[in-house]
Amino acid sequence: MVRTVRTTSTATAMAAVLATAALGLAPHQAQAAPATTTAAVTVAPEASPDLRFHDIPGSGGITLKGNVFTPAGALPGVKYPLIVLPTSWGMPQIEYIVQAKKLADSGYVVVSYTSRGFWLSGGEIETAGPADTADVSAVIDWALANTAADAEHIGMGGVSYGAGISLLASASDQRIKAVVALSGWADLIESIYSGRTQHLQAAGLLGGAGFLTGRPGPELQQILGDFLGSKLDREPQMIEWGKKRSASEKVDRINANGAAIMLGNAWGDTIFPPNQYAKFFEELTGPKRLELRPGDHATAEATGLLGLPNDTWTNAHRWFDRYLKGERNGVDTEAPVQIKPRSDGGYEGYADWKSVGSGGAEKLMLSDSEHLFTGVDSGANGGVVLLSNLLDQFFQAPPTASIPLLPRAFAAVWQSPRYAEDRRVRGTVRLHTTVTPTKSDGTFVAYLYDVGPLGIGKLVSNAPYTFHGKPAGQPFGVDLELFSTAYDVPAGHRLAVVVDTVDPLYIEHNPTGAQLTFSSPRTDPSYLSVPLREQ
């Protein structure tokens, strides 16, 4: 029986099915291409590329359900660059049908496959574990033996789960020369456990989709249960599990292998926030590119999967063309960091991530002491996973709160003066403060708002922070990075820092009756550091 999951991923899958039907594509068995050593790229533009569905041997003896696009008019003996596309979490092999056809139109052999443990592919969900990266190598081996793929020009790509697998595979398989990793992760722990806080909605969505569309393995079930159950005694094991699945832990091997890496993400990604991608980008030493845009998880790429014009996919194709075909299309001469603010502005280019806030940091001093009762949602929150930042992407409508009406017993509020000129926030906002708890454990969430003349605040960024084992009644310092962003605060508005203790996005660890005090000692003042674009 085929099971479905009611998420945005399902909508994309259905659209891909309709696109497949519109193209008149049907599964049939393929014939192995004759082995040759010819290296050339020829495409008949008036014809359609050939699509065939295959059972592809994966690692450990399992079968992966896949499909292969071959360029139209491919001649016997001619070799073409190969692109391998593992599917996203919970998605079937037709996810990339539209983009795979476009790539084949331009002269690529494209192999896409359903990641192990999902839908009709064999095995269990390993969450980008060693078996998944071994699958990539097995798929490449199969493609070289059974298609017109060129062994010297191999690329990897994908969205979300496919992006994470692609990055990890580039550390283990030296044959991979180019990677396009969209809406993925480089640091799994920093993604869903930042600030030592479980990202509840993100983990719940992934876990639910995994059970609905696949077969989670016993290790994943154990980790997910420990994670959502807040089993602190299992925290070291959870962190070690995440590190094994993080490309940031393998960056030396990725650099040694030398693949050209393109990373793309959205400012409001509620599953894999952009900070961890930016940090990973800075550690790469080979050809690299980082693109950040408005939106939420995989929403920046979604229209391209449906065949609509899409900047992300356009640049992905340019990246492959440059590093697999050797085309001089200019993508390598552009500024390697390309960001689009959450406004009507166009793209801004920077030499590196450190240059994004090149206008310097403005400090908002948080001088007043604030005392909070925990366990009550003040009304300030980060919104709903996938939905809230999707609205921001298309309608510039992020989560809002009435700052004057926030209950001060449950929300600490500091505000800047009204600005006479625009403030162009770029990069990672940092909070430094001193916290005194009445209990040894606790959670708080920091928010930055753009506050208009009527007191309505639009969310600029947020981040959670959790502590355990702190002595009750003793102050301790906190340095917290909010999620990176690019936001223009209009003249006449002000910035507001809000801290409360409950947010539906996160699991909170505040004991009943706990209270928190935020202070600004004279010897260690509290402040918010806001990076700005150079005027």
Side-chain angles (χ1 to χ4, degrees):
M1 178 168 51
V2 178
R3 295 173 288 178
T4 58
V5 53
R6 296 185 179 181
T7 66
T8 54
S9 296
T10 301
T12 305
M14 292 304 298
V17 172
L18 295 176
T20 306
L23 290 169
L25 304 173
H28 56 283
Q29 295 301 313
Q31 300 297 321
T36 73
T37 57
T38 304
V41 175
T42 57
V43 181
E46 70 282 357
S48 294
D50 178 57
L51 170 64
R52 296 173 185 263
F53 289 77
H54 295 269
D55 288 342
I56 302 175
S59 65
I62 72 160
T63 297
L64 301 169
K65 295 295 182 177
N67 57 67
V68 178
F69 268 109
T70 303
L75 301 175
V78 176
K79 294 294 185 180
Y80 300 88
L82 169 67
I83 296 176
V84 177
L85 304 173
T87 58
S88 302
W89 187 271
M91 293 293 288
Q93 60 171 300
I94 59 172
E95 176 184 10
Y96 302 112
I97 282 285
V98 172
Q99 290 301 323
K101 179 181 181 299
K102 289 184 176 182
L103 287 164
D105 279 335
S106 63
Y108 292 96
V109 171
V110 185
V111 179
S112 178
Y113 67 92
T114 304
S115 300
R116 71 162 48 222
F118 288 102
W119 297 94
L120 298 179
S121 280
E124 297 175 324
I125 301 173
E126 303 286 347
T127 321
D132 290 290
T133 53
D135 284 343
V136 171
S137 295
V139 170
I140 292 174
D141 292 341
W142 179 88
L144 295 177
N146 295 277
T147 75
D150 182 351
E152 300 302 316
H153 300 89
I154 298 174
M156 289 288 304
V159 176
S160 185
Y161 193 49
I165 290 174
S166 295
L167 286 175
L168 289 162
S170 72
S172 61
D173 197 319
Q174 297 180 1
R175 295 174 295 181
I176 298 169
K177 306 302 182 186
V179 174
V180 172
L182 306 176
S183 290
W185 78 91
D187 187 330
L188 191 56
I189 297 300
E190 186 65 22
S191 294
I192 62 173
Y193 195 48
S194 68
R196 208 180 177 188
T197 307
Q198 299 105 313
H199 294 210
L200 172 62
Q201 290 186 17
L205 178 64
L206 292 173
F211 278 100
L212 286 169
T213 63
R215 301 167 299 282
E219 185 179 28
L220 173 58
Q221 294 186 48
Q222 176 74 49
I223 290 293
L224 192 61
D226 293 343
F227 184 80
L228 294 176
S230 301
K231 296 182 179 179
L232 281 177
D233 60 319
R234 293 279 301 169
E235 185 181 47
Q237 290 86 348
M238 288 186 278
I239 291 175
E240 185 60 28
W241 178 87
K243 284 183 175 181
K244 290 179 180 178
R245 290 157 172 80
S246 296
S248 59
E249 296 291 319
K250 308 175 191 296
V251 68
D252 290 344
R253 288 160 57 186
I254 293 173
N255 288 335
N257 289 343
I261 308 290
M262 173 180 160
L263 306 171
N265 206 354
W267 295 117
D269 195 320
T270 45
I271 295 180
F272 304 129
N275 301 47
Q276 45 92 31
Y277 248 18
K279 292 175 184 176
F280 177 69
F281 171 82
E282 289 291 271
E283 295 177 341
L284 294 171
T285 58
K288 60 183 179 179
R289 183 180 177 94
L290 173 65
E291 298 184 356
L292 295 170
R293 302 175 174 85
D296 206 309
H297 182 66
T299 63
E301 301 85 28
T303 55
L305 291 175
L306 302 179
L308 300 176
N310 183 279
D311 292 347
T312 305
W313 283 105
T314 296
N315 289 335
H317 287 231
R318 294 173 66 215
W319 192 256
F320 284 135
D321 289 345
R322 174 67 187 91
Y323 291 103
L324 296 183
K325 291 183 180 178
E327 291 185 3
R328 297 290 179 178
N329 55 21
V331 72
D332 56 327
T333 63
E334 297 170 355
V337 176
Q338 296 284 326
I339 70 171
K340 187 174 185 181
R342 293 162 50 198
S343 62
D344 292 327
Y347 286 91
E348 300 170 1
Y350 298 88
D352 50 36
W353 177 248
K354 296 186 294 292
S355 301
V356 171
S358 57
E362 178 177 295
K363 278 190 176 182
L364 304 181
M365 304 310 298
L366 313 180
S367 55
D368 296 334
S369 180
E370 298 282 348
H371 184 80
L372 301 183
F373 294 92
T374 67
V376 175
D377 190 341
S378 70
N381 64 67
V384 178
V385 66
L386 296 182
L387 176 61
S388 296
N389 292 307
L390 179 67
L391 295 175
D392 186 36
Q393 176 183 352
F394 289 105
F395 305 108
Q396 295 180 27
T400 60
S402 176
I403 304 304
L405 297 182
L406 292 175
R408 295 309 195 260
F410 308 113
V413 179
W414 299 267
Q415 296 192 72
S416 73
R418 296 192 185 279
Y419 294 118
E421 298 178 345
D422 293 356
R423 288 293 189 275
R424 299 181 180 182
V425 181
R426 298 289 186 274
T428 306
V429 176
R430 292 173 170 83
L431 171 68
H432 175 75
T433 190
T434 296
V435 180
T436 305
T438 61
K439 305 286 187 179
S440 61
D441 301 329
T443 297
F444 67 85
V445 184
Y447 308 89
L448 181 64
Y449 283 98
D450 160 26
V451 184
L454 299 180
I456 301 300
K458 294 183 176 181
L459 186 64
V460 177
S461 186
N462 78 98
Y465 184 89
T466 293
F467 59 90
H468 296 287
K470 297 291 185 181
Q474 293 189 21
F476 63 93
V478 171
D479 288 289
L480 176 63
E481 288 189 351
L482 277 63
F483 301 135
S484 302
T485 193
Y487 186 97
D488 296 335
V489 181
H493 287 213
R494 66 178 76 198
L495 288 172
V497 183
V498 177
V499 176
D500 74 1
T501 63
V502 175
D503 190 309
L505 286 174
Y506 312 113
I507 292 178
E508 54 97 0
H509 296 263
N510 296 298
T512 302
Q515 302 172 40
L516 300 175
T517 299
F518 296 86
S519 59
S520 183
R522 182 174 300 179
T523 56
D524 186 21
S526 294
Y527 61 86
L528 189 81
S529 177
V530 182
L532 302 175
R533 177 188 173 187
E534 187 173 349
Q535 298 293 330

